[in-house]
Amino acid sequence: MVKRVVFNQKGGVGKSSIAVNLAAISAARGKKTLVVDLDPQCNSSHYMLGEEYLDIKPDMRDFFESVLSFQLKPLGPESYIHSTPYENLFVMPSNPDLGDLQSKLEAKHKIYKLRDTLEALSKEYDAIYIDTPPAFNFYTLSALVAADRCLIPFDCDEFARQALYSLLANVHETREDHNDALVVEGIVVNQFQPRASLPQRIVEELLADDLPVLNTRISASVKMRESHDVTCPLIHLAPKHKLTEQFVELFQELS
């Protein structure tokens, strides 16, 4: 069973899109798959559940509130997991108010609670994908502690390239201090424009620095926006589309 965190401190790089579409492909191939949404923006939750995610309880805020009040064991971790419209695909949905608990969780050093919960669920699932906020905070650290693989979306921007080295340093520090099993699985080049010179140059520079850039490139496409608008992962919305095929190729590269 693989526990994979999708992480970048920069917003707008496609974390939720990558996490949900890889998870949907995994589920479509018969693997029981769980998405854990730790981002208060709730993009992954909305992507899979539509507007209904706002009414689904208990969610990840309830989970972390139970951690603070020591009530997790009576309720059980499976109580926070909800089915999606797609076979084999499940979600622990986020909450817009998740950030309100962060300082209390940090003060009480609760960064291992998510790891322990996902470990308890590991026999029930074939794959777990964790979506994270666009910041290195308590929730991101909890995800890195809980996961065994880290996938880094990258959108071919010069500022993103500069931030990448700080991100990798944070992952390395987390591995040293909290989770020696964590590995950087690869950098996903997202929203790629093959005919533009800047993206090509930046990717070449990453490769020259011996960074683990994956072979698959995810193109910029309006189809992704359409997928978000109808809250339907690409493998179900447009299985033969070029963008879907790129995600399938990425999934196979990671397998």
Side-chain angles (χ1 to χ4, degrees):
M1 198 277 292
V2 175
K3 291 174 288 185
R4 180 178 284 118
V5 56
V6 184
F7 167 51
N8 194 313
Q9 295 161 191
K10 183 176 180 290
V13 297
K15 292 187 304 298
S16 300
S17 298
I18 289 170
V20 170
N21 279 290
L22 288 176
I25 293 167
S26 173
R29 294 194 169 195
K31 297 179 181 295
K32 190 176 181 182
T33 304
L34 174 64
V35 176
V36 181
D37 189 358
L38 296 181
D39 189 349
Q41 296 180 64
C42 306
N43 290 333
S44 285
S45 302
H46 182 259
Y47 197 178
M48 289 181 286
L49 300 172
E51 296 295 340
E52 295 179 6
Y53 84 90
L54 291 167
D55 301 319
I56 293 178
K57 301 291 181 181
D59 56 26
M60 290 307 293
R61 179 183 170 88
D62 299 310
F63 168 80
F64 284 109
E65 282 184 332
S66 72
V67 166
L68 290 170
S69 60
F70 303 101
Q71 293 179 354
L72 181 58
K73 286 187 178 180
L75 189 56
E78 66 282 350
S79 301
Y80 301 93
I81 298 172
H82 303 273
S83 59
T84 74
Y86 311 103
E87 188 177 3
N88 297 319
L89 185 60
F90 300 84
V91 60
M92 297 177 78
S94 189
N95 183 297
D97 299 323
L98 193 60
D100 296 346
L101 301 177
Q102 184 170 313
S103 60
K104 293 179 182 178
L105 291 162
E106 289 173 337
K108 295 193 175 182
H109 308 289
K110 299 297 184 179
I111 61 169
Y112 297 105
K113 291 300 182 180
L114 181 65
R115 179 199 66 183
D116 295 343
T117 298
L118 297 187
E119 187 62 31
L121 293 167
S122 62
K123 293 182 180 179
E124 299 294 323
Y125 292 88
D126 299 306
I128 297 177
Y129 291 81
I130 311 172
D131 190 16
T132 55
F136 187 64
N137 59 18
F138 170 84
Y139 297 113
T140 303
L141 181 57
S142 294
L144 291 169
V145 169
D148 42 49
R149 301 184 191 180
C150 179
L151 199 60
I152 303 170
F154 180 80
D155 62 355
C156 293
D157 176 86
E158 184 60 36
F159 293 113
R161 178 175 175 267
Q162 295 171 15
L164 183 60
Y165 296 94
S166 173
L167 182 158
L168 290 168
N170 286 332
V171 173
H172 177 76
E173 184 176 2
T174 302
R175 182 170 59 236
E176 291 292 313
D177 293 345
H178 304 290
N179 182 8
D180 58 8
L182 180 66
V183 298
V184 175
E185 190 170 21
I187 297 167
V188 181
V189 177
N190 191 33
Q191 302 174 40
F192 186 62
Q193 298 173 304
R195 297 181 181 178
S197 60
L198 179 61
Q200 292 277 14
R201 178 177 62 79
I202 291 177
V203 170
E204 289 172 2
E205 290 172 352
L206 296 180
L207 291 169
D209 287 344
D210 291 326
L211 296 183
V213 180
L214 293 166
N215 293 324
T216 307
R217 308 282 187 263
I218 305 298
S219 300
S221 172
V222 70
K223 184 58 70 174
M224 181 60 75
R225 190 177 302 116
E226 293 175 5
S227 177
H228 292 165
D229 286 345
V230 298
T231 62
C232 181
L234 288 162
I235 194 68
H236 299 289
L237 177 67
K240 300 299 184 182
H241 193 273
K242 175 184 176 181
L243 187 62
T244 309
E245 292 175 347
Q246 290 171 349
F247 272 103
V248 170
E249 183 181 346
L250 176 60
F251 179 84
Q252 292 170 340
E253 184 176 356
L254 296 172
S255 298

